[in-house]
Amino acid sequence: MTENSKIAEHISELPLIDHHVHGTLIPDLSRSEFESFLTESSEPIPPWMTQFDSQVGFAVRKYCAPHFDLPEHADADTYWAARARWGSDEIARRLLRTSGISESIVDTGVIETEHSKPSLTTLEEFGTLSAQRVHEVVRLETLLESLADAGVEADALEHAFDAALAAAATTAVGFKSIIAYRYGFDFDPARPHSDEFTAAAQEWLASASAGSFRVSHPVLLRALLWKAVSTGLPVQLHAGFGDADIDLERCNPLLLTPWLRLLPADYSDVMLLHCYPYHREAGYLAQVFSRVYFDVGLAINYSGAASDRVIAESLELAPFSKVLFSTDAWGLPELHSIGAALWRRGMTRVLSHLVNDGDWSLTDAKRVASMTGRDNAHRVYRLPNS
Amino acid sequence: MTENSKIAEHISELPLIDHHVHGTLIPDLSRSEFESFLTESSEPIPPWMTQFDSQVGFAVRKYCAPHFDLPEHADADTYWAARARWGSDEIARRLLRTSGISESIVDTGVIETEHSKPSLTTLEEFGTLSAQRVHEVVRLETLLESLADAGVEADALEHAFDAALAAAATTAVGFKSIIAYRYGFDFDPARPHSDEFTAAAQEWLASASAGSFRVSHPVLLRALLWKAVSTGLPVQLHAGFGDADIDLERCNPLLLTPWLRLLPADYSDVMLLHCYPYHREAGYLAQVFSRVYFDVGLAINYSGAASDRVIAESLELAPFSKVLFSTDAWGLPELHSIGAALWRRGMTRVLSHLVNDGDWSLTDAKRVASMTGRDNAHRVYRLPNS
Amino acid sequence: MTENSKIAEHISELPLIDHHVHGTLIPDLSRSEFESFLTESSEPIPPWMTQFDSQVGFAVRKYCAPHFDLPEHADADTYWAARARWGSDEIARRLLRTSGISESIVDTGVIETEHSKPSLTTLEEFGTLSAQRVHEVVRLETLLESLADAGVEADALEHAFDAALAAAATTAVGFKSIIAYRYGFDFDPARPHSDEFTAAAQEWLASASAGSFRVSHPVLLRALLWKAVSTGLPVQLHAGFGDADIDLERCNPLLLTPWLRLLPADYSDVMLLHCYPYHREAGYLAQVFSRVYFDVGLAINYSGAASDRVIAESLELAPFSKVLFSTDAWGLPELHSIGAALWRRGMTRVLSHLVNDGDWSLTDAKRVASMTGRDNAHRVYRLPNS
C-alpha cells in the first residue's frame, strides 16, 4: 500500500464530527427552490443560468449522483429527474448516512431567507434521518427574539435572557452569534452594563413592528456575545462570506482583535466559522489567541473542486489543534454529503503531497487529519465518548 | 487524444472575446518608453533594473519572441533588437492577429500617464490592425471632461451629459467608470439629485485650471455611474490594482456593496475589472448579486507564469456564467498577445487538473472554457452573432 | 543532470544574505520556554497542546533533527531530548553554520516578550557562532528609548536623537521601524515639525513611568521614520502579522501609500518585512514605487511546508529585483536553520515548476534565485564585496 493510499484510507475511515451544521428541509422541493439553496444569493435566478453551473453544483453532480444510481457528473437535468423521484426523507437518508459523519453539532436557530421561513428538521429528526449522534448549538439572537415574541418587556428582558441562556447551557454544547450578519465585527468591544442592555432593549422593542422581532441593535448583540462567552461553553461566530445581507469587509475576523484581548482567561473558546476569504487572518488569530479556533466549512462547499487550495491555506499559521471540520450544510442533504466528501478529498490531497514530498511523515499526516476531522471538536465541545 | 490534449485543443481553437482592452500605440518607441509600458509604475526605471525582469517581462520573452523569429525566452536585448527592426503597425499586426481573439470591446477613453498623452489607435484602426470585430466602451469621465473642454458651463452640464450619454448608448456596447482611480469605492451610494450635480459641477469647474478638466469630484463621479447603470448597458468598473495613483484598499470591490444593494432590478450589469488582489471578494459579489460579473484581466498579464493560480482563484465562489476573459492590454501589442496566451495556458492547466483528478467531466471543462472565454461576454454585451 | 536538479544545485550552493534576522538566546532553555519561541502567541501554552504540532514545529523536526543525529521527523520528545544534551552555543553552531547563510543583517533592538527581557547574542557573538559576516540594523524606537533611559529631557530629545542616528549611520547598514506594532500604518503621513516632536516628547516622558520608556506616541514614531528615510540608508518596516499586540489590519502595507507618495526621490529605500497575509499587496507596492522592496520572511517559517505557496505568491506583481530573502529568525537557532532550508526548498519547487512547464528558461530561474537570495540585498544595503 502506497503512502498516498494509506492517507486516503485513514481519512476515508475517519468518523467525522461536523462542528457546525444545520438541519435539512422537510418539504419536497421544486427545481427552482432546490437551486436557490445552491447559492448564497437571495435574488431570483436569471433565466439564462442555472446554479448547477458553479463549483458547488458540479460537486453535487459528482458526489451525489451515484447515490441516485447515476454516474458521476450526470448532467443537471438527469440529476434532478433522478432525485425528484424520491421524497425528502429518503433523499436525506441516502445522502446523510453515507457521509461518514458520525456526530453533528447542529445550529437550531432559524435561518431567514427570501422564501417563507423554511421548514427544517428538528435536532431529533436530523439525528434519526442521519443516524448520527447529534448535539445542539443555540443561537443567541434567536433566543432573545423568542423572548420578545413571547411578550417579555424591555425591563425584564435581560433577566429573562440570562435565565434562558442558563437553561440552554444545561443541554447545548455551545452557542452561536450572528453579530457579523446583524451588525459586523467592528463593535465596541467593552461588555455592556445592565442599564445599557435595558436601554437598548427599549429602543429595540419600540422600533420593532409587532410580531417581527429581529435584533440588530449592536448593544444587544454584543451583550449576548459577552453573556455567552461567560458560560464557558464554546461560542461560534459566523465570520467571512455569507449572503448579500452582510458587509463582507466588516466580517473580517481581525476586527474581533480588541474584543478577543478583553476576554478573561477562563471564558469560552471562540469558534470562527467559514472565514473565507479571511481564513489566513483566522489562522493568525488561532495562533496568537489560545482560545481561538476556526474552520473553512462553508467555503469548502462553495469552492467545490477548488477547495483543496482553501484547505491548504487553512493549514498555514494555525496550530493543528485549532482547525476544525464543518460542512455548514443547511437545507439540502446534498450539502452535507459534499461537505464531507470535499473535506476528505482536499485533506487527502494536501496531506499526500506533504508526505510524498518528504515534508511530513505519514504518522503526522494521519494524526493531523484525525485532529482536524474529529479530535479537536471532541475536546473543545467536551463531547461524551461513544 | 488524451483528455488534457482535448482541453488544450478546445481552448486553443476558441475565438476569444476580450471584453476590456485598449488600443495600441501608434509611434515607434525607444526601449525605455517600451519598458515603461511593462509596469504600472510611473516613476523612472532605475538604472540597475530592467522591467523585463518581471513576470510580465518573462511572458513577453516567452510568447512574443517567436513572432519575431526568435526562440522562446530570447533575452531582453535580443528581443528588443528584433522588435526594433519593425514599425509599430507591423509589430501590432504580428502580435494582434495571432492572438486568437476574434472580438474586442475597446475602452476608447484616453489614459493619462507621466508621458504626454499617448497616441493610441482609434477603434477603427485597432480593428484593422488586429483583423478583429471591435466594439466600443465609452468612459464616463472622459465624456464629461470633453463637455467641459468644449466650454459647457456648470448649469448646463448635466443636461449636456445626459444627451451625450444617450448618443453614446446608440453605438457603444457599454460604459466604463474609473471612480476607483479618481476617488475610491467608498462613495456615498445614494443617487445624487440634479441640484447636487449642478452644485458639484460649479465647484469642479471653478477649481479646474483652464484647459485641464480632470474630474475627481465624488458627487460627479457617482452621478455619472448612476446615469450609466440606468441605461441598461453593461457598466465596467476598474477594481483592484492599477498604478500608484490609486489607494488600493479603497478599490476593494466589497466597498461597492451598499451601492449594489440600491440598484433597481432592471438596471445595468456591473462588470468588475481585474480585481486583484480582491478577486475572491469579487467572486463573492458575483455569486450574491445576479448583476455582478468580473474578470482578472490585468492580473493575468502582470502575474505572468503565476497567473494560473490567480485564474484558479477566480473560479471559486462565482457561478461560471459570471466570469469573463479580458487582457486589459494597452499600448504594447505584446500585452494583447500574452493576455490571450496566458489565459489559454492558465485555463488549460486549471481545467486539465480538474478533469484528470476526476473532479469535473471533460464536457463541463470545455463548456466552462467557452463560457468564460466567449459566451458570457457575448450574452452580457448583447453582441451580434458573427 | 535534469533541469530540476540544476536548479536545486544552484540554490543549494547559493550563499544567502539574510537581510532581516535577530540573534539567538544565550541561556539554556526549558522545553516550555523553547516552545514559547515556536509561536507568536504570548499566552501560556495550554496543557492539551504542544507548539510542535504546527507547520513551524514540523519543519523543526524535519530540518533540524539530522543536526542532532536523528532521522528527519523525529518526534517532539525525541527531538527535545537530543537537543537538550547540548549547550546553547553548540546548538547554535550546529544549526547556524549549516544554514548556507553567508551574511546576516541583524536587528539588534531588544524584542519585548511576556518573559523577562531575553538575553540574546550581540552582533559580534552572533557572527562568531554562525561564522557569518554580520551587519547591523538599528531599531529606531530602541534608539529613542535608550536616550530617555539615559535621562535626556523632552526639549533636548530631538537633537540627541539626530546625533544618535547620525552616529549609528556610520556603522549600521540600515534602520528599522516598528511603527506597525506601536501604532499602525494609518499614521498621518506628513513629516512632523520640530515643535511637534518636542511637544510629543513632553507628553511621552510625562506619561511614562520611570524606567519604562516604551514609545508609542504616533508623532514620535513617524518623526523617527522620517528622520531614518532621510539618511539614505535602507529602512525596514515590520508589516503584516506578528504577535497579539498588533492590530493586523492596521499593518497592511497599503496603508503606507500616502506616506510613500511623499518621499523625495533621493530618500531611503523602504524594506517591507514579512507582509503576510498582505504579501500580494506588498508586491503591488514594490511594482509601482521604485524604492519599495519586500520579503515574506517570518511567513516562510510559520507556514513551514506550506511556504512554497507563499513564496510563489510573492513572485507575482513585483519585479524580481525587489524581492528579498530573510528568516526573521530570533531566539532559537532552529528558526535560522529552517528559514534558510524552507526558502531553498520553496524556491526550488516554484522555479522547477516554471522551468519544467516551459514558462521560464533555466538561466532565468537561476538568475532570479540569485537576485532574491543574495544580489538584491547586496545592492540595496551596499554591502562590501567578500
Side-chain angles (χ1 to χ4, degrees):
Chain A
M1 190 179 260
T2 66
E3 299 206 322
N4 270 12
S5 54
K6 284 180 193 162
I7 293 172
E9 184 184 69
H10 175 81
I11 291 178
S12 73
E13 293 177 354
L14 186 66
L16 302 175
I17 298 178
D18 187 348
H19 93 107
H20 180 69
V21 65
H22 307 267
T24 54
L25 288 156
I26 294 172
D28 292 339
L29 302 172
S30 70
R31 175 154 174 189
S32 69
E33 286 169 337
F34 177 86
E35 290 203 19
S36 74
F37 285 94
L38 290 178
T39 174
E40 290 287 322
S41 181
S42 53
E43 298 181 31
I45 303 171
W48 43 261
M49 75 174 281
T50 161
Q51 295 292 2
F52 273 107
D53 280 345
S54 61
Q55 291 282 13
V56 63
F58 282 19
V60 166
R61 289 171 43 218
K62 172 180 166 63
Y63 292 106
C64 302
H67 296 298
F68 297 101
D69 306 313
L70 298 172
E72 290 187 348
H73 313 304
D75 66 48
D77 292 347
T78 304
Y79 180 79
W80 178 252
R83 182 200 206 272
R85 272 185 223 119
W86 305 97
S88 63
D89 274 13
E90 173 62 16
I91 294 169
R93 273 190 296 267
R94 288 188 180 208
L95 293 170
L96 297 178
R97 296 186 178 189
T98 52
S99 69
I101 298 171
S102 66
E103 300 186 52
S104 282
I105 297 174
V106 182
D107 172 5
T108 52
V110 172
I111 299 182
E112 298 160 30
T113 69
E114 286 295 298
H115 326 288
S116 55
K117 280 197 184 182
S119 177
L120 282 182
T121 52
T122 62
L123 184 67
E124 294 68 31
E125 289 167 343
F126 183 77
T128 303
L129 280 174
S130 64
Q132 296 173 20
R133 185 191 291 220
V134 289
H135 313 277
E136 184 174 23
V137 157
V138 170
R139 201 184 284 210
L140 300 167
E141 293 80 7
T142 306
L143 202 60
L144 186 74
E145 291 161 358
S146 67
L147 297 171
D149 274 335
V152 178
E153 304 211 347
D155 56 1
L157 198 58
E158 182 171 28
H159 189 74
F161 183 82
D162 289 345
L165 190 75
T170 63
T171 55
V173 300
F175 294 103
K176 180 181 175 189
S177 161
I178 54 166
I179 195 169
Y181 262 87
R182 296 290 177 84
Y183 183 77
F185 286 153
D186 49 345
F187 56 86
D188 177 352
R191 183 170 194 155
H193 296 292
S194 275
D195 50 356
E196 293 175 85
F197 189 109
T198 302
Q202 282 163 345
E203 286 177 33
W204 174 45
L205 294 181
S207 68
S209 46
S212 163
F213 293 107
R214 185 181 181 277
V215 60
S216 62
H217 196 300
V219 172
L220 294 177
L221 294 169
R222 65 184 232 263
L224 269 45
L225 188 55
W226 269 107
K227 288 174 183 296
V229 293
S230 67
T231 65
L233 292 182
V235 175
Q236 302 178 341
L237 283 138
H238 175 97
F241 93 105
D243 66 32
D245 271 357
I246 59 165
D247 285 321
L248 181 49
E249 78 282 7
R250 297 176 62 198
C251 299
N252 184 335
L254 290 181
L255 299 174
L256 292 171
T257 308
W259 177 71
L260 291 168
R261 288 200 194 106
L262 294 184
L263 293 194
D266 59 342
Y267 271 37
S268 296
D269 290 320
V270 172
M271 320 302 289
L272 302 173
L273 305 175
H274 329 316
C275 302
Y276 180 100
Y278 305 114
H279 44 291
R280 283 174 154 169
E281 286 82 345
Y284 156 76
L285 294 174
Q287 178 180 124
V288 300
F289 292 104
S290 65
R291 66 163 56 77
V292 172
Y293 294 76
F294 79 107
D295 71 42
V296 286
L298 184 62
I300 293 179
N301 269 0
Y302 275 106
S303 61
S307 61
D308 46 353
R309 185 172 46 251
V310 177
I311 289 171
E313 290 168 351
S314 76
L315 298 173
E316 290 175 353
L317 290 203
F320 303 128
S321 53
K322 310 299 270 322
V323 185
L324 283 84
F325 159 71
S326 87
T327 63
D328 194 38
W330 88 281
L332 304 181
E334 275 87 350
L335 299 176
H336 301 74
S337 177
I338 67 171
L342 287 167
W343 184 87
R344 290 186 204 275
R345 166 193 168 278
M347 286 296 283
T348 300
R349 291 190 194 181
V350 170
L351 299 179
S352 297
H353 276 299
L354 292 171
V355 172
N356 290 340
D357 290 346
D359 297 312
W360 285 20
S361 72
L362 174 61
T363 305
D364 284 330
K366 289 159 69 174
R367 200 160 56 86
V368 170
S370 297
M371 291 168 80
T372 56
R374 176 169 188 85
D375 300 346
N376 292 336
H378 191 270
R379 183 186 70 248
V380 177
Y381 291 95
R382 299 163 221 159
L383 301 184
N385 291 320
S386 352
Chain B
M1 190 180 258
T2 66
E3 298 206 322
N4 270 12
S5 54
K6 284 180 193 162
I7 294 173
E9 184 184 71
H10 175 81
I11 291 178
S12 73
E13 292 177 355
L14 185 66
L16 301 175
I17 299 179
D18 186 348
H19 93 107
H20 179 70
V21 65
H22 306 266
T24 54
L25 288 155
I26 295 172
D28 292 339
L29 302 172
S30 70
R31 176 155 173 188
S32 69
E33 287 168 337
F34 177 85
E35 289 204 19
S36 74
F37 285 95
L38 289 179
T39 174
E40 289 287 323
S41 180
S42 53
E43 298 181 30
I45 302 171
W48 42 262
M49 74 174 282
T50 161
Q51 296 291 2
F52 272 107
D53 281 345
S54 61
Q55 290 282 13
V56 63
F58 281 19
V60 165
R61 289 170 42 219
K62 172 179 166 63
Y63 292 106
C64 302
H67 295 297
F68 298 101
D69 307 312
L70 297 172
E72 289 187 348
H73 314 302
D75 67 48
D77 291 347
T78 304
Y79 180 79
W80 178 253
R83 181 200 207 272
R85 269 184 227 119
W86 305 97
S88 63
D89 274 14
E90 174 61 16
I91 294 169
R93 273 189 297 264
R94 289 187 180 209
L95 294 170
L96 298 177
R97 295 186 177 190
T98 53
S99 68
I101 298 170
S102 65
E103 301 187 52
S104 282
I105 298 175
V106 182
D107 172 4
T108 52
V110 172
I111 299 181
E112 298 160 30
T113 70
E114 287 294 299
H115 325 286
S116 55
K117 282 196 183 183
S119 177
L120 284 180
T121 52
T122 62
L123 183 68
E124 294 68 30
E125 288 167 343
F126 183 76
T128 303
L129 280 174
S130 65
Q132 295 173 20
R133 185 192 291 218
V134 289
H135 313 277
E136 185 173 24
V137 156
V138 170
R139 199 184 286 209
L140 300 167
E141 293 79 7
T142 306
L143 201 60
L144 186 74
E145 291 160 358
S146 68
L147 297 171
D149 274 334
V152 178
E153 304 212 345
D155 55 2
L157 198 57
E158 183 172 28
H159 189 74
F161 183 81
D162 289 346
L165 189 75
T170 62
T171 55
V173 299
F175 294 103
K176 180 180 174 188
S177 161
I178 54 167
I179 194 170
Y181 260 88
R182 295 290 177 85
Y183 182 78
F185 286 152
D186 49 346
F187 55 85
D188 176 353
R191 184 170 194 154
H193 296 291
S194 274
D195 50 356
E196 293 175 85
F197 188 108
T198 302
Q202 281 162 345
E203 285 177 33
W204 174 46
L205 295 181
S207 67
S209 46
S212 163
F213 294 107
R214 185 181 180 276
V215 60
S216 61
H217 197 299
V219 171
L220 295 176
L221 294 170
R222 64 184 232 263
L224 269 45
L225 187 55
W226 270 107
K227 289 174 183 296
V229 292
S230 66
T231 65
L233 291 182
V235 175
Q236 302 178 342
L237 282 138
H238 174 97
F241 94 104
D243 66 31
D245 272 356
I246 60 165
D247 286 321
L248 181 49
E249 78 281 6
R250 295 176 64 199
C251 300
N252 183 335
L254 290 181
L255 299 174
L256 291 172
T257 308
W259 177 70
L260 290 169
R261 289 200 192 105
L262 294 184
L263 292 193
D266 58 342
Y267 272 38
S268 295
D269 289 320
V270 170
M271 320 303 289
L272 302 173
L273 305 175
H274 330 315
C275 300
Y276 180 101
Y278 306 114
H279 42 294
R280 283 175 154 169
E281 286 83 344
Y284 155 76
L285 294 173
Q287 178 180 122
V288 299
F289 291 105
S290 65
R291 66 163 57 76
V292 171
Y293 294 75
F294 79 106
D295 71 44
V296 286
L298 184 62
I300 293 179
N301 268 0
Y302 275 106
S303 61
S307 60
D308 45 355
R309 187 172 44 251
V310 177
I311 289 171
E313 290 169 351
S314 75
L315 298 173
E316 289 175 352
L317 291 202
F320 304 127
S321 53
K322 311 299 271 321
V323 186
L324 284 84
F325 159 72
S326 86
T327 63
D328 194 38
W330 88 281
L332 304 182
E334 275 88 350
L335 299 176
H336 302 73
S337 177
I338 67 170
L342 287 167
W343 183 87
R344 290 186 204 274
R345 164 194 169 278
M347 286 296 283
T348 300
R349 291 189 194 183
V350 170
L351 299 179
S352 296
H353 276 298
L354 291 172
V355 172
N356 290 340
D357 289 346
D359 297 313
W360 285 20
S361 72
L362 175 61
T363 305
D364 283 331
K366 289 160 68 174
R367 200 160 56 85
V368 170
S370 296
M371 290 167 81
T372 56
R374 175 168 189 87
D375 299 347
N376 292 336
H378 191 269
R379 183 186 71 249
V380 177
Y381 291 95
R382 298 163 220 161
L383 301 182
N385 292 318
S386 352
Chain C
M1 189 179 261
T2 66
E3 297 205 324
N4 271 11
S5 55
K6 284 181 194 161
I7 293 173
E9 184 184 71
H10 175 80
I11 291 178
S12 73
E13 292 177 354
L14 186 66
L16 302 175
I17 299 179
D18 186 348
H19 93 106
H20 179 70
V21 65
H22 307 267
T24 54
L25 288 155
I26 294 172
D28 292 338
L29 302 173
S30 70
R31 177 154 171 190
S32 68
E33 287 169 335
F34 177 85
E35 289 204 19
S36 75
F37 286 95
L38 290 179
T39 174
E40 289 287 323
S41 180
S42 53
E43 298 181 31
I45 303 170
W48 43 262
M49 74 174 281
T50 161
Q51 296 292 1
F52 273 107
D53 280 345
S54 61
Q55 291 282 13
V56 63
F58 281 19
V60 166
R61 289 171 42 219
K62 173 179 167 64
Y63 292 106
C64 302
H67 295 299
F68 298 101
D69 306 312
L70 296 172
E72 290 187 348
H73 314 302
D75 66 49
D77 292 347
T78 304
Y79 181 78
W80 178 254
R83 183 200 205 270
R85 269 184 228 120
W86 305 97
S88 65
D89 275 13
E90 174 61 16
I91 294 169
R93 273 189 297 266
R94 287 187 180 208
L95 294 170
L96 297 177
R97 294 187 178 190
T98 51
S99 69
I101 298 171
S102 66
E103 301 187 51
S104 282
I105 297 174
V106 182
D107 172 3
T108 53
V110 172
I111 298 181
E112 298 159 30
T113 69
E114 287 294 299
H115 324 286
S116 56
K117 280 197 182 182
S119 177
L120 284 181
T121 52
T122 62
L123 183 68
E124 293 68 30
E125 289 167 343
F126 184 76
T128 303
L129 281 172
S130 65
Q132 296 173 20
R133 185 192 292 219
V134 289
H135 314 277
E136 185 174 23
V137 157
V138 170
R139 199 185 285 211
L140 300 167
E141 292 81 6
T142 305
L143 202 59
L144 186 74
E145 290 161 359
S146 68
L147 296 171
D149 275 334
V152 178
E153 304 211 347
D155 57 0
L157 199 58
E158 182 172 27
H159 189 75
F161 182 82
D162 289 346
L165 190 75
T170 62
T171 55
V173 299
F175 295 103
K176 179 181 174 189
S177 161
I178 54 166
I179 194 170
Y181 262 87
R182 297 289 177 85
Y183 182 77
F185 286 153
D186 48 346
F187 56 85
D188 176 352
R191 184 171 193 153
H193 295 291
S194 275
D195 50 358
E196 293 175 85
F197 189 108
T198 301
Q202 282 161 344
E203 286 177 32
W204 174 47
L205 294 180
S207 68
S209 47
S212 164
F213 295 107
R214 184 180 180 279
V215 61
S216 61
H217 197 301
V219 171
L220 295 176
L221 294 170
R222 66 184 231 263
L224 268 46
L225 187 56
W226 270 107
K227 288 175 183 296
V229 293
S230 68
T231 64
L233 291 182
V235 176
Q236 302 178 341
L237 283 139
H238 174 97
F241 94 106
D243 66 31
D245 272 356
I246 60 166
D247 286 321
L248 181 48
E249 78 280 7
R250 296 176 62 198
C251 300
N252 182 335
L254 289 182
L255 298 173
L256 291 171
T257 309
W259 176 71
L260 290 168
R261 288 200 193 105
L262 294 184
L263 293 193
D266 60 341
Y267 271 38
S268 295
D269 289 320
V270 171
M271 320 302 288
L272 302 173
L273 305 175
H274 331 315
C275 301
Y276 179 101
Y278 306 115
H279 43 292
R280 283 175 155 170
E281 286 83 344
Y284 155 75
L285 294 174
Q287 178 180 121
V288 299
F289 291 105
S290 65
R291 67 162 59 76
V292 172
Y293 293 75
F294 79 108
D295 71 44
V296 286
L298 184 62
I300 293 179
N301 269 0
Y302 276 106
S303 61
S307 61
D308 45 354
R309 186 173 45 252
V310 177
I311 290 171
E313 290 168 352
S314 76
L315 298 173
E316 289 175 354
L317 290 203
F320 304 127
S321 54
K322 310 300 269 322
V323 185
L324 283 85
F325 160 72
S326 86
T327 63
D328 193 38
W330 88 281
L332 304 181
E334 274 88 350
L335 299 175
H336 302 74
S337 177
I338 66 171
L342 288 168
W343 184 87
R344 289 186 205 275
R345 165 193 168 279
M347 286 297 282
T348 300
R349 290 190 194 182
V350 171
L351 299 180
S352 296
H353 276 298
L354 292 172
V355 172
N356 290 340
D357 289 347
D359 297 312
W360 284 20
S361 72
L362 175 62
T363 305
D364 285 329
K366 290 160 69 174
R367 199 159 57 85
V368 170
S370 297
M371 290 167 81
T372 56
R374 177 170 188 85
D375 299 348
N376 292 337
H378 191 270
R379 182 186 72 248
V380 176
Y381 291 95
R382 297 162 220 159
L383 301 182
N385 291 321
S386 353

